[in-house]
Coordinates of all heavy atoms in Angstrom, one line a residue:
M1 N 0.8 -1.2 0.0 CA 0.0 0.0 0.0 C 0.8 1.2 0.0 O 0.5 2.2 -0.7 CB -0.9 0.0 1.2 CG -1.9 1.1 1.2 SD -3.1 0.8 -0.1 CE -4.5 1.8 0.5
A2 N 1.9 1.2 0.7 CA 2.8 2.4 0.8 C 3.4 2.8 -0.5 O 3.5 3.9 -0.9 CB 3.9 2.2 1.8
K3 N 3.8 1.7 -1.4 CA 4.3 2.0 -2.7 C 3.3 2.7 -3.6 O 3.6 3.6 -4.4 CB 4.9 0.7 -3.3 CG 5.6 1.0 -4.6 CD 6.4 -0.2 -5.0 CE 7.3 0.1 -6.2 NZ 8.1 -0.9 -6.6
E4 N 2.1 2.3 -3.5 CA 1.0 2.9 -4.3 C 0.9 4.4 -3.9 O 0.7 5.3 -4.7 CB -0.4 2.2 -4.1 CG -0.4 0.9 -4.7 CD -1.7 0.1 -4.5 OE1 -2.7 0.8 -4.1 OE2 -1.7 -1.1 -4.6
N5 N 1.0 4.7 -2.6 CA 0.9 6.1 -2.2 C 2.1 6.9 -2.7 O 1.8 8.1 -3.0 CB 0.9 6.1 -0.6 CG -0.4 5.6 -0.1 OD1 -1.5 5.6 -0.8 ND2 -0.5 5.2 1.1
I6 N 3.3 6.3 -2.7 CA 4.4 7.1 -3.3 C 4.2 7.4 -4.8 O 4.5 8.4 -5.2 CB 5.8 6.4 -3.0 CG1 6.9 7.4 -3.3 CG2 6.0 5.2 -3.7 CD1 7.5 8.1 -2.1
N7 N 3.6 6.4 -5.5 CA 3.4 6.6 -6.9 C 2.4 7.7 -7.1 O 2.5 8.6 -8.0 CB 2.9 5.3 -7.6 CG 4.0 4.3 -7.6 OD1 5.2 4.6 -7.5 ND2 3.6 3.0 -7.8
V8 N 1.3 7.7 -6.4 CA 0.3 8.8 -6.4 C 0.9 10.1 -6.1 O 0.7 11.1 -6.7 CB -0.9 8.5 -5.5 CG1 -1.9 9.7 -5.4 CG2 -1.7 7.3 -6.1
S9 N 1.8 10.1 -5.1 CA 2.4 11.4 -4.7 C 3.3 11.9 -5.7 O 3.3 13.1 -6.0 CB 3.2 11.2 -3.3 OG 2.3 10.9 -2.3
I10 N 4.1 11.0 -6.4 CA 5.0 11.5 -7.5 C 4.2 12.0 -8.6 O 4.5 13.1 -9.2 CB 6.0 10.3 -7.8 CG1 6.9 10.0 -6.7 CG2 6.7 10.7 -9.1 CD1 7.8 8.8 -7.0
F11 N 3.2 11.3 -9.0 CA 2.3 11.8 -10.1 C 1.7 13.1 -9.8 O 1.7 14.1 -10.6 CB 1.2 10.8 -10.4 CG 1.3 10.0 -11.7 CD1 2.1 8.9 -11.7 CD2 0.6 10.4 -12.8 CE1 2.3 8.2 -12.9 CE2 0.7 9.7 -14.0 CZ 1.5 8.6 -14.0
T12 N 1.3 13.3 -8.6 CA 0.7 14.6 -8.1 C 1.7 15.7 -8.2 O 1.5 16.8 -8.7 CB 0.1 14.5 -6.7 OG1 -0.9 13.5 -6.7 CG2 -0.5 15.8 -6.3
V13 N 2.9 15.5 -7.7 CA 4.0 16.5 -7.7 C 4.3 16.8 -9.1 O 4.6 18.0 -9.4 CB 5.2 16.0 -6.9 CG1 6.4 16.8 -7.2 CG2 4.9 15.9 -5.4
L14 N 4.5 15.8 -10.0 CA 4.8 16.1 -11.4 C 3.7 16.9 -12.1 O 4.0 17.8 -12.9 CB 5.1 14.8 -12.2 CG 6.3 14.0 -11.7 CD1 6.4 12.7 -12.3 CD2 7.6 14.8 -12.0
K15 N 2.5 16.6 -11.8 CA 1.4 17.4 -12.4 C 1.4 18.8 -11.9 O 1.2 19.8 -12.7 CB 0.0 16.7 -12.1 CG -1.1 17.4 -12.8 CD -1.0 17.4 -14.2 CE -2.2 18.1 -14.9 NZ -2.0 18.4 -16.3
V16 N 1.6 19.0 -10.6 CA 1.7 20.4 -10.1 C 2.9 21.1 -10.7 O 2.8 22.3 -11.1 CB 1.8 20.4 -8.5 CG1 2.2 21.7 -8.0 CG2 0.5 19.9 -7.9
S17 N 4.0 20.5 -10.9 CA 5.2 21.1 -11.5 C 4.8 21.4 -13.0 O 5.2 22.5 -13.4 CB 6.4 20.1 -11.5 OG 7.5 20.6 -12.2
E18 N 4.2 20.6 -13.7 CA 3.8 20.8 -15.1 C 2.9 22.0 -15.2 O 3.1 22.9 -16.0 CB 3.0 19.6 -15.6 CG 2.5 19.7 -17.0 CD 1.8 18.4 -17.4 OE1 0.7 18.1 -16.8 OE2 2.2 17.8 -18.4
V19 N 1.9 22.2 -14.3 CA 1.0 23.3 -14.4 C 1.7 24.6 -13.9 O 1.5 25.7 -14.5 CB -0.3 23.0 -13.5 CG1 -1.2 24.2 -13.3 CG2 -1.0 21.9 -14.1
S20 N 2.5 24.5 -12.8 CA 3.1 25.7 -12.2 C 4.4 26.2 -12.9 O 4.7 27.3 -12.8 CB 3.3 25.5 -10.7 OG 4.3 24.6 -10.6
G21 N 5.0 25.2 -13.6 CA 6.3 25.6 -14.2 C 7.4 25.6 -13.2 O 8.6 25.9 -13.5
V22 N 7.2 25.1 -12.0 CA 8.2 25.1 -10.9 C 8.8 23.7 -10.9 O 8.1 22.7 -10.8 CB 7.6 25.3 -9.5 CG1 8.6 25.2 -8.5 CG2 6.9 26.7 -9.5
P23 N 10.2 23.6 -11.1 CA 10.8 22.3 -11.2 C 10.8 21.6 -9.9 O 10.7 22.2 -8.8 CB 12.2 22.6 -11.6 CG 12.4 24.0 -11.3 CD 11.1 24.7 -11.3
V24 N 10.9 20.3 -10.0 CA 10.9 19.4 -8.8 C 12.1 18.4 -8.9 O 12.4 18.0 -10.0 CB 9.6 18.7 -8.6 CG1 9.3 17.7 -9.8 CG2 9.5 17.9 -7.3
L25 N 12.7 18.1 -7.8 CA 13.8 17.2 -7.7 C 13.3 16.0 -6.8 O 13.0 16.3 -5.7 CB 15.1 17.8 -7.2 CG 16.2 16.8 -6.9 CD1 16.7 16.2 -8.2 CD2 17.4 17.6 -6.2
L26 N 13.3 14.8 -7.3 CA 12.9 13.7 -6.5 C 14.1 13.0 -6.0 O 15.0 12.6 -6.7 CB 12.1 12.7 -7.4 CG 10.8 13.3 -8.0 CD1 10.2 12.2 -8.9 CD2 9.8 13.7 -7.0
M27 N 14.1 12.8 -4.6 CA 15.2 12.2 -4.0 C 14.6 11.2 -2.9 O 13.8 11.6 -2.2 CB 16.1 13.2 -3.3 CG 16.9 14.1 -4.2 SD 17.9 15.4 -3.5 CE 18.9 14.4 -2.4
S28 N 15.1 10.0 -2.9 CA 14.8 9.1 -1.8 C 15.6 7.8 -2.0 O 16.5 7.8 -2.9 CB 13.3 8.7 -1.8 OG 13.0 7.9 -2.9
N29 N 15.4 6.9 -1.2 CA 16.2 5.6 -1.3 C 15.9 4.9 -2.6 O 14.9 5.1 -3.2 CB 15.8 4.7 -0.1 CG 16.2 5.2 1.2 OD1 17.3 5.9 1.3 ND2 15.5 5.0 2.3
P30 N 16.9 4.1 -3.0 CA 16.7 3.4 -4.3 C 15.6 2.3 -4.1 O 15.3 1.8 -3.0 CB 18.0 2.6 -4.5 CG 19.0 3.3 -3.5 CD 18.2 4.0 -2.4
G31 N 14.9 2.1 -5.2 CA 13.9 1.0 -5.2 C 12.5 1.4 -4.8 O 11.7 0.4 -4.7
V32 N 12.2 2.6 -4.6 CA 10.8 3.0 -4.2 C 9.9 3.3 -5.4 O 8.7 3.4 -5.2 CB 10.8 4.2 -3.2 CG1 11.5 3.8 -1.9 CG2 11.3 5.4 -3.8
G33 N 10.5 3.3 -6.6 CA 9.7 3.5 -7.8 C 9.7 4.9 -8.4 O 8.9 5.2 -9.3
K34 N 10.7 5.7 -8.0 CA 10.8 7.1 -8.6 C 10.9 7.0 -10.1 O 10.1 7.6 -10.9 CB 11.9 7.8 -8.0 CG 11.9 8.1 -6.6 CD 13.1 8.8 -6.0 CE 14.4 8.1 -6.3 NZ 14.5 6.8 -5.5
S35 N 11.9 6.3 -10.6 CA 12.1 6.2 -12.1 C 11.0 5.6 -12.8 O 10.6 6.1 -13.9 CB 13.4 5.4 -12.3 OG 14.6 6.0 -11.7
T36 N 10.4 4.6 -12.3 CA 9.3 3.9 -13.0 C 8.1 4.8 -13.0 O 7.5 4.9 -14.1 CB 8.9 2.6 -12.2 OG1 10.1 1.7 -12.2 CG2 7.8 1.9 -12.8
T37 N 7.8 5.5 -11.9 CA 6.6 6.4 -11.9 C 6.9 7.6 -12.8 O 5.9 8.0 -13.6 CB 6.4 6.8 -10.5 OG1 6.2 5.7 -9.7 CG2 5.1 7.7 -10.4
V38 N 8.1 8.1 -12.8 CA 8.3 9.3 -13.7 C 8.2 8.8 -15.2 O 7.7 9.6 -16.0 CB 9.7 9.9 -13.4 CG1 10.2 10.9 -14.5 CG2 9.7 10.5 -12.0
S39 N 8.7 7.6 -15.5 CA 8.7 7.1 -16.9 C 7.2 6.9 -17.3 O 6.8 7.3 -18.4 CB 9.3 5.7 -16.9 OG 10.7 5.9 -16.7
M40 N 6.3 6.4 -16.4 CA 4.9 6.3 -16.7 C 4.3 7.7 -16.9 O 3.5 7.8 -17.8 CB 4.2 5.5 -15.6 CG 4.6 4.1 -15.5 SD 3.6 3.1 -14.3 CE 3.4 4.2 -12.9
F41 N 4.6 8.6 -16.1 CA 4.1 10.0 -16.2 C 4.5 10.6 -17.6 O 3.6 11.1 -18.3 CB 4.6 10.9 -15.1 CG 4.0 12.3 -15.1 CD1 2.8 12.5 -14.5 CD2 4.7 13.3 -15.8 CE1 2.3 13.9 -14.6 CE2 4.2 14.6 -15.8 CZ 3.0 14.9 -15.2
A42 N 5.7 10.4 -17.9 CA 6.2 11.0 -19.2 C 5.5 10.3 -20.4 O 5.1 11.0 -21.3 CB 7.8 10.8 -19.3
E43 N 5.3 9.0 -20.3 CA 4.6 8.3 -21.4 C 3.2 8.8 -21.5 O 2.6 9.1 -22.6 CB 4.6 6.8 -21.1 CG 4.1 6.0 -22.3 CD 4.2 4.5 -22.1 OE1 5.1 4.1 -21.3 OE2 3.4 3.8 -22.7
V44 N 2.5 8.8 -20.4 CA 1.1 9.2 -20.3 C 0.9 10.7 -20.9 O -0.1 11.0 -21.6 CB 0.5 9.1 -19.0 CG1 -0.9 9.8 -18.8 CG2 0.4 7.7 -18.5
R45 N 1.8 11.6 -20.5 CA 1.7 13.0 -20.9 C 2.4 13.3 -22.2 O 2.3 14.5 -22.6 CB 2.3 13.9 -19.7 CG 1.7 13.6 -18.4 CD 0.2 14.1 -18.3 NE 0.1 15.5 -18.6 CZ -0.9 16.1 -19.0 NH1 -2.0 15.4 -19.3 NH2 -0.9 17.4 -19.2
G46 N 3.0 12.4 -22.9 CA 3.6 12.6 -24.2 C 5.0 13.3 -24.1 O 5.4 14.0 -25.1
Y47 N 5.7 13.2 -23.0 CA 7.0 13.8 -22.9 C 8.1 12.9 -23.3 O 8.0 11.6 -23.2 CB 7.3 14.1 -21.4 CG 6.5 15.3 -20.8 CD1 5.4 15.1 -20.0 CD2 6.9 16.6 -21.1 CE1 4.8 16.2 -19.5 CE2 6.2 17.7 -20.6 CZ 5.2 17.4 -19.8 OH 4.5 18.5 -19.2
H48 N 9.1 13.4 -23.9 CA 10.4 12.7 -24.0 C 11.1 12.7 -22.6 O 11.0 13.7 -21.9 CB 11.3 13.5 -25.0 CG 12.7 13.1 -25.0 ND1 13.1 11.8 -25.5 CD2 13.8 13.6 -24.5 CE1 14.4 11.7 -25.3 NE2 14.9 12.8 -24.7
L49 N 11.6 11.6 -22.2 CA 12.2 11.5 -20.9 C 13.7 11.4 -21.0 O 14.2 10.5 -21.7 CB 11.7 10.2 -20.2 CG 12.2 9.9 -18.8 CD1 11.9 11.1 -17.8 CD2 11.7 8.6 -18.3
E50 N 14.4 12.2 -20.3 CA 15.9 12.1 -20.1 C 16.1 11.9 -18.6 O 15.7 12.7 -17.8 CB 16.6 13.4 -20.5 CG 16.7 13.7 -21.9 CD 17.6 12.7 -22.7 OE1 18.6 12.2 -22.0 OE2 17.4 12.5 -23.8
L51 N 16.5 10.7 -18.3 CA 16.6 10.3 -16.9 C 18.1 10.3 -16.5 O 18.9 9.7 -17.0 CB 16.1 8.8 -16.8 CG 15.9 8.3 -15.3 CD1 15.0 9.1 -14.5 CD2 15.4 6.8 -15.5
L52 N 18.4 11.1 -15.4 CA 19.7 11.1 -14.8 C 19.7 10.5 -13.5 O 18.9 11.0 -12.6 CB 20.2 12.6 -14.7 CG 20.4 13.4 -16.0 CD1 20.8 14.8 -15.7 CD2 21.3 12.7 -17.0
R53 N 20.5 9.5 -13.2 CA 20.5 8.9 -11.9 C 21.7 9.3 -11.2 O 22.8 9.1 -11.7 CB 20.5 7.4 -12.1 CG 19.2 6.9 -12.7 CD 19.3 5.4 -13.1 NE 18.2 5.1 -13.9 CZ 17.3 4.2 -13.8 NH1 17.5 3.3 -12.9 NH2 16.3 4.0 -14.6
G54 N 21.5 10.0 -10.1 CA 22.6 10.5 -9.3 C 23.6 9.5 -8.8 O 24.8 9.8 -8.8
N55 N 23.2 8.3 -8.6 CA 24.1 7.3 -8.1 C 25.0 6.6 -9.2 O 25.9 5.9 -8.9 CB 23.4 6.2 -7.3 CG 22.4 5.4 -8.1 OD1 22.1 5.8 -9.2 ND2 22.0 4.3 -7.6
S56 N 24.6 6.9 -10.4 CA 25.4 6.2 -11.5 C 25.7 7.2 -12.6 O 26.0 6.7 -13.7 CB 24.6 5.0 -12.0 OG 23.4 5.4 -12.6
T57 N 25.7 8.4 -12.4 CA 26.0 9.4 -13.4 C 27.2 10.3 -13.0 O 27.3 10.8 -11.9 CB 24.8 10.4 -13.7 OG1 23.6 9.6 -13.9 CG2 25.0 11.3 -14.8
S58 N 28.2 10.4 -13.9 CA 29.4 11.1 -13.5 C 29.2 12.6 -13.7 O 28.2 13.1 -14.3 CB 30.6 10.7 -14.4 OG 30.4 11.2 -15.7
E59 N 30.1 13.4 -13.1 CA 30.0 14.8 -13.1 C 30.1 15.3 -14.6 O 29.3 16.2 -15.0 CB 31.2 15.4 -12.4 CG 31.3 16.9 -12.4 CD 32.5 17.4 -11.6 OE1 32.9 16.8 -10.7 OE2 33.0 18.5 -12.0
T60 N 30.9 14.7 -15.4 CA 30.9 15.2 -16.8 C 29.7 14.8 -17.7 O 29.3 15.5 -18.6 CB 32.2 14.6 -17.5 OG1 32.3 13.2 -17.4 CG2 33.5 15.3 -17.0
E61 N 29.1 13.7 -17.2 CA 27.8 13.3 -17.9 C 26.7 14.3 -17.6 O 25.8 14.5 -18.5 CB 27.4 11.9 -17.5 CG 28.2 10.8 -18.0 CD 27.8 9.4 -17.4 OE1 27.9 9.3 -16.2 OE2 27.6 8.5 -18.2
I62 N 26.8 14.9 -16.5 CA 25.8 15.9 -16.1 C 26.1 17.3 -16.6 O 25.3 18.0 -17.2 CB 25.6 15.9 -14.5 CG1 25.0 14.6 -14.1 CG2 24.7 17.1 -14.2 CD1 25.0 14.5 -12.6
L63 N 27.4 17.7 -16.4 CA 27.8 19.1 -16.8 C 28.4 19.3 -18.1 O 28.6 20.4 -18.6 CB 28.8 19.6 -15.7 CG 28.3 19.6 -14.3 CD1 29.4 19.9 -13.3 CD2 27.1 20.5 -14.1
G64 N 28.9 18.2 -18.8 CA 29.6 18.3 -20.0 C 31.1 18.5 -19.6 O 31.5 18.4 -18.5
Y65 N 31.9 18.9 -20.6 CA 33.3 19.0 -20.3 C 34.0 20.0 -21.3 O 33.5 20.2 -22.4 CB 34.1 17.7 -20.2 CG 33.9 16.8 -21.4 CD1 34.8 16.8 -22.4 CD2 32.8 15.9 -21.4 CE1 34.6 15.9 -23.5 CE2 32.6 15.1 -22.5 CZ 33.5 15.1 -23.6 OH 33.3 14.3 -24.6
D66 N 35.1 20.5 -20.9 CA 35.9 21.4 -21.7 C 37.0 20.6 -22.4 O 37.7 19.8 -21.8 CB 36.5 22.6 -20.9 CG 35.4 23.5 -20.3 OD1 34.4 23.6 -21.0 OD2 35.7 24.0 -19.2
V67 N 37.3 20.9 -23.6 CA 38.4 20.3 -24.4 C 39.2 21.4 -25.2 O 38.6 22.5 -25.4 CB 37.9 19.2 -25.4 CG1 37.2 18.1 -24.7 CG2 36.9 19.9 -26.4
A68 N 40.4 21.1 -25.5 CA 41.2 22.0 -26.2 C 40.6 22.1 -27.6 O 40.3 21.2 -28.3 CB 42.6 21.5 -26.3
D69 N 40.5 23.4 -28.1 CA 40.0 23.6 -29.4 C 41.2 23.8 -30.4 O 41.7 24.9 -30.6 CB 39.1 24.9 -29.4 CG 38.4 25.1 -30.7 OD1 38.6 24.4 -31.6 OD2 37.6 26.0 -30.7
T70 N 41.7 22.7 -30.8 CA 43.0 22.7 -31.7 C 42.7 23.4 -33.0 O 43.6 23.7 -33.7 CB 43.5 21.3 -31.9 OG1 42.5 20.5 -32.4 CG2 44.0 20.7 -30.5
A71 N 41.4 23.6 -33.4 CA 41.2 24.3 -34.7 C 41.5 25.8 -34.5 O 41.9 26.4 -35.6 CB 39.7 24.1 -35.0
V72 N 41.4 26.3 -33.3 CA 41.8 27.7 -33.1 C 43.3 27.8 -32.7 O 44.1 28.4 -33.4 CB 40.8 28.3 -32.1 CG1 41.2 29.8 -31.8 CG2 39.4 28.2 -32.5
N73 N 43.5 27.3 -31.5 CA 44.9 27.2 -31.1 C 45.0 26.3 -29.8 O 43.9 26.0 -29.3 CB 45.6 28.5 -30.8 CG 44.9 29.3 -29.7 OD1 44.6 28.7 -28.6 ND2 44.6 30.6 -29.9
S74 N 46.1 25.9 -29.3 CA 46.2 25.0 -28.2 C 45.8 25.6 -26.9 O 45.6 24.9 -25.9 CB 47.6 24.4 -28.1 OG 48.5 25.5 -27.9
E75 N 45.6 26.9 -26.8 CA 45.3 27.6 -25.6 C 43.8 27.8 -25.5 O 43.3 28.4 -24.4 CB 46.1 28.9 -25.4 CG 47.6 28.6 -25.2 CD 48.4 29.8 -25.1 OE1 47.8 30.9 -24.9 OE2 49.6 29.8 -25.2
T76 N 43.0 27.6 -26.5 CA 41.6 27.9 -26.5 C 40.8 26.6 -26.2 O 41.2 25.5 -26.6 CB 41.2 28.4 -27.8 OG1 41.9 29.6 -28.2 CG2 39.7 28.7 -27.9
T77 N 39.8 26.7 -25.4 CA 39.0 25.5 -25.1 C 37.6 25.8 -25.6 O 37.1 26.9 -25.8 CB 38.9 25.2 -23.6 OG1 38.4 26.3 -22.9 CG2 40.3 24.9 -23.0
K78 N 36.9 24.7 -25.7 CA 35.4 24.8 -26.1 C 34.7 23.8 -25.1 O 35.3 22.8 -24.7 CB 35.1 24.5 -27.5 CG 35.5 23.1 -28.0 CD 35.1 23.0 -29.4 CE 35.6 21.6 -29.9 NZ 35.3 21.4 -31.4
H79 N 33.5 24.2 -24.8 CA 32.7 23.3 -23.9 C 31.8 22.4 -24.7 O 31.1 22.8 -25.6 CB 31.8 24.2 -23.0 CG 31.0 23.4 -22.0 ND1 31.7 22.9 -20.9 CD2 29.7 23.1 -21.9 CE1 30.8 22.2 -20.2 NE2 29.6 22.3 -20.8
L80 N 31.9 21.1 -24.4 CA 31.0 20.1 -25.0 C 29.8 19.8 -24.1 O 30.0 19.5 -23.0 CB 31.8 18.8 -25.3 CG 33.0 19.0 -26.3 CD1 33.7 17.6 -26.5 CD2 32.5 19.5 -27.6
R81 N 28.7 20.0 -24.6 CA 27.5 19.8 -23.9 C 27.3 18.3 -23.6 O 27.6 17.5 -24.5 CB 26.3 20.3 -24.6 CG 26.3 21.9 -24.8 CD 25.1 22.3 -25.6 NE 25.0 23.8 -25.5 CZ 24.3 24.4 -26.4 NH1 23.7 23.8 -27.3 NH2 24.3 25.8 -26.3
P82 N 26.6 18.0 -22.5 CA 26.3 16.5 -22.3 C 25.2 16.1 -23.3 O 24.4 16.8 -23.8 CB 25.8 16.5 -20.9 CG 25.4 17.9 -20.6 CD 26.2 18.8 -21.4
S83 N 25.2 14.8 -23.5 CA 24.3 14.2 -24.6 C 22.9 14.5 -24.2 O 22.0 14.7 -25.0 CB 24.6 12.8 -24.7 OG 24.4 12.1 -23.6
W84 N 22.5 14.4 -22.9 CA 21.1 14.6 -22.5 C 20.7 16.0 -22.9 O 19.5 16.3 -23.3 CB 20.9 14.4 -21.0 CG 21.7 15.3 -20.1 CD1 22.9 15.0 -19.5 CD2 21.3 16.6 -19.6 NE1 23.2 16.1 -18.7 CE2 22.3 17.1 -18.8 CE3 20.1 17.4 -19.9 CZ2 22.2 18.3 -18.2 CZ3 20.1 18.6 -19.3 CH2 21.1 19.0 -18.4
F85 N 21.5 17.0 -22.8 CA 21.2 18.4 -23.1 C 20.9 18.6 -24.6 O 20.0 19.2 -25.1 CB 22.3 19.4 -22.6 CG 21.9 20.8 -22.8 CD1 21.1 21.4 -21.9 CD2 22.4 21.6 -23.9 CE1 20.8 22.8 -22.0 CE2 22.1 22.9 -24.0 CZ 21.3 23.5 -23.1
T86 N 21.8 17.9 -25.4 CA 21.6 17.9 -26.9 C 20.3 17.3 -27.2 O 19.6 17.7 -28.1 CB 22.8 17.2 -27.5 OG1 24.0 17.9 -27.1 CG2 22.8 17.3 -29.0
N87 N 20.0 16.1 -26.6 CA 18.8 15.4 -26.8 C 17.6 16.3 -26.6 O 16.6 16.3 -27.4 CB 18.7 14.1 -26.0 CG 19.7 13.1 -26.4 OD1 20.3 13.1 -27.5 ND2 19.9 12.2 -25.5
I88 N 17.6 17.0 -25.5 CA 16.5 17.9 -25.1 C 16.3 19.0 -26.2 O 15.2 19.3 -26.6 CB 16.7 18.5 -23.7 CG1 16.5 17.5 -22.6 CG2 15.7 19.7 -23.5 CD1 16.9 17.9 -21.3
L89 N 17.4 19.6 -26.6 CA 17.3 20.6 -27.7 C 16.7 20.1 -29.0 O 16.0 20.8 -29.6 CB 18.7 21.3 -27.9 CG 19.3 22.1 -26.8 CD1 20.7 22.6 -27.2 CD2 18.4 23.2 -26.4
E90 N 17.1 18.9 -29.3 CA 16.6 18.2 -30.6 C 15.1 18.0 -30.4 O 14.3 18.3 -31.4 CB 17.3 16.9 -30.8 CG 18.8 17.1 -31.3 CD 19.6 15.8 -31.5 OE1 18.9 14.7 -31.3 OE2 20.8 15.9 -31.7
K91 N 14.7 17.5 -29.3 CA 13.3 17.3 -29.1 C 12.4 18.6 -29.1 O 11.3 18.6 -29.6 CB 13.0 16.5 -27.8 CG 13.5 15.1 -27.8 CD 12.8 14.3 -28.9 CE 13.3 12.9 -29.0 NZ 12.8 12.1 -30.1
E92 N 13.1 19.6 -28.6 CA 12.4 20.9 -28.5 C 12.1 21.4 -29.9 O 11.1 21.9 -30.3 CB 13.2 22.0 -27.8 CG 12.6 23.3 -27.7 CD 13.4 24.3 -26.9 OE1 14.4 24.0 -26.3 OE2 13.1 25.6 -27.0
K93 N 13.1 21.2 -30.8 CA 13.0 21.6 -32.2 C 11.8 20.8 -32.9 O 11.2 21.3 -33.8 CB 14.3 21.4 -33.0 CG 15.4 22.3 -32.7 CD 16.7 22.0 -33.4 CE 17.8 22.9 -33.0 NZ 19.1 22.5 -33.6
E94 N 11.6 19.6 -32.4 CA 10.5 18.8 -33.0 C 9.2 19.1 -32.3 O 8.2 18.5 -32.7 CB 10.9 17.3 -32.8 CG 12.1 16.9 -33.5 CD 12.5 15.4 -33.1 OE1 11.7 14.7 -32.6 OE2 13.7 15.0 -33.3
G95 N 9.2 20.0 -31.3 CA 8.0 20.3 -30.6 C 7.6 19.3 -29.6 O 6.4 19.3 -29.2
I96 N 8.5 18.5 -29.2 CA 8.2 17.5 -28.1 C 8.8 17.9 -26.8 O 10.0 18.1 -26.7 CB 8.9 16.1 -28.5 CG1 8.3 15.6 -29.9 CG2 8.6 15.1 -27.4 CD1 9.0 14.4 -30.5
P97 N 7.9 18.1 -25.8 CA 8.5 18.5 -24.5 C 9.3 17.4 -23.8 O 9.1 16.2 -24.1 CB 7.2 18.8 -23.7 CG 6.1 18.0 -24.3 CD 6.5 17.9 -25.8
T98 N 10.2 17.8 -23.0 CA 11.0 16.9 -22.3 C 10.8 16.9 -20.8 O 10.7 18.0 -20.2 CB 12.5 17.1 -22.6 OG1 12.7 16.9 -24.0 CG2 13.4 16.2 -21.8
L99 N 10.9 15.8 -20.2 CA 10.9 15.7 -18.7 C 12.3 15.2 -18.3 O 12.7 14.1 -18.8 CB 9.8 14.7 -18.2 CG 9.7 14.5 -16.7 CD1 9.4 15.8 -16.0 CD2 8.6 13.5 -16.4
L100 N 13.0 16.0 -17.6 CA 14.4 15.6 -17.3 C 14.4 15.1 -15.8 O 13.9 15.8 -14.9 CB 15.3 16.9 -17.3 CG 16.7 16.8 -16.8 CD1 17.5 15.7 -17.6 CD2 17.4 18.1 -16.8

């Protein structure tokens, strides 16, 4: 019964976030159903889902990274965006909203 309540709570929080435009961050112990519930919400609402798991995602996967821009010179760097960010931009161009 408790798991059903957490799923309803997550759905409710996501709907409030959707309506209000206020982002939400879900944090709790592993295995309570956060990812599954968010995936179901995204599917029902027609969102593209980009899922970042804090316990298995590196800093560069979240933030991207800087590399030497050898096309300009060896002292210039450029920032490479993380793949999830690029995916979100592509979906936006297609008119598909994303849930991150």
